[in-house]
Amino acid sequence: LFRSKYLIEKDAGIYDAMNKGIKLSSGDYIIFLNSGDIFYSPNVLENVFPLLIDDNTVYYGSAYMESAQSSWVFPPVGMSKNEEKRWIELNEPNHQSMFFPKKYYKFNNYNLSFKYLGDTFFKLKAKEVCNFVNLQSVICQFQLGGVSNSYSSLFILFIQSKERMQIQQIFYKNTKIKSSLISSKYFFKYIYFQINYI
């Protein structure tokens, strides 16, 4: 049985709206699909439900990523256990393919100081205290072009780059030089976007 609730009021941005959604939720696990995102198939929840058995675990699957020019699955389905372990150490799953236990949200909401990468900060924080288990299936269909992956605005990219540098220094203890190199990827993507899409 699925119940729908909605709230129409002003908020302080997408992560504030998501925090409000958490308060309205009553299930044991939470997954967020934003505008343009859909489940990969009508049977996703039916197939995944029996696998969500530990409320100290974040369960994640793959996302079918779509842009105007190409599509791919992230991460690849069918990795070995060693490949999964290595992958999750170096990467963050797509947020729309992740099931977080409601229990974890009780003391951890999205940090509003991160306007564009609040979900990245949230995922890395969860990795420090929760188990992560790969569901080995495609969960969502994800459209590129949202607030966290739009490369058309130099101003937005500047804020994203600044936020990514802060996140790198918090979770990876990088030097400022290494953090700067990592965050500079946003500006390379901006240049690529200008060359190919404008």
Side-chain angles (χ1 to χ4, degrees):
L1 177 65
F2 292 93
R3 297 178 180 177
S4 298
K5 299 179 183 179
Y6 64 89
L7 179 66
I8 301 175
E9 64 181 23
K10 291 184 178 180
D11 56 57
I14 185 172
Y15 298 113
D16 184 35
M18 289 164 68
N19 285 338
K20 291 181 179 183
I22 292 165
K23 292 179 181 178
L24 290 175
S25 67
S26 58
D28 295 325
Y29 282 84
I30 295 175
I31 184 172
F32 281 100
L33 294 180
N34 298 323
S35 177
D37 305 324
I38 59 174
F39 285 118
Y40 187 67
S41 78
N43 301 321
V44 164
L45 293 180
E46 180 183 354
N47 294 336
V48 164
F49 179 75
L51 305 176
L52 308 181
I53 57 176
D54 179 11
D55 62 6
N56 292 311
T57 294
V58 175
Y59 295 90
Y60 71 95
S62 299
Y64 180 79
M65 314 285 283
E66 281 192 311
S67 70
Q69 282 69 39
S70 62
S71 60
W72 64 97
V73 174
F74 175 85
V77 176
M79 292 187 292
S80 68
K81 290 298 181 183
N82 286 337
E83 288 172 332
E84 284 181 20
K85 183 178 179 181
R86 181 63 175 163
W87 188 91
I88 198 63
E89 288 175 353
L90 300 174
N91 298 278
E92 300 126 33
N94 180 275
H95 194 248
Q96 285 81 352
S97 69
M98 303 177 74
F99 295 85
F100 286 90
K102 177 69 179 295
K103 170 184 171 181
Y104 179 72
Y105 280 109
K106 186 175 181 179
F107 301 104
N108 297 278
N109 282 340
Y110 291 93
N111 188 330
L112 302 189
S113 65
F114 294 97
K115 186 175 181 180
Y116 295 103
L117 300 183
D119 55 343
T120 299
F121 181 86
F122 186 84
K123 288 183 286 187
L124 290 173
K125 189 175 179 182
K127 283 173 72 173
E128 293 186 329
V129 296
C130 295
N131 301 316
F132 272 59
V133 170
N134 190 343
L135 295 168
Q136 287 288 4
S137 62
V138 182
I139 302 298
C140 70
Q141 190 168 321
F142 178 76
Q143 296 278 350
L144 293 173
V147 294
S148 63
N149 52 70
S150 175
Y151 305 112
S152 59
S153 168
L154 192 57
F155 174 74
I156 291 176
L157 286 175
F158 174 78
I159 302 300
Q160 288 178 325
S161 176
K162 183 178 178 181
E163 290 183 3
R164 186 73 216 197
M165 188 181 299
Q166 292 174 322
I167 289 170
Q168 288 294 133
Q169 292 176 354
I170 291 170
F171 291 102
Y172 295 113
K173 312 302 180 186
N174 296 127
T175 63
K176 289 187 176 181
I177 294 176
K178 189 173 182 180
S179 297
S180 299
L181 290 173
I182 293 171
S183 64
S184 67
K185 72 174 185 177
Y186 294 99
F187 294 100
F188 288 114
K189 289 182 178 180
Y190 171 79
I191 294 171
Y192 178 83
F193 182 93
Q194 297 299 314
I195 294 172
N196 289 277
Y197 302 108
I198 301 300

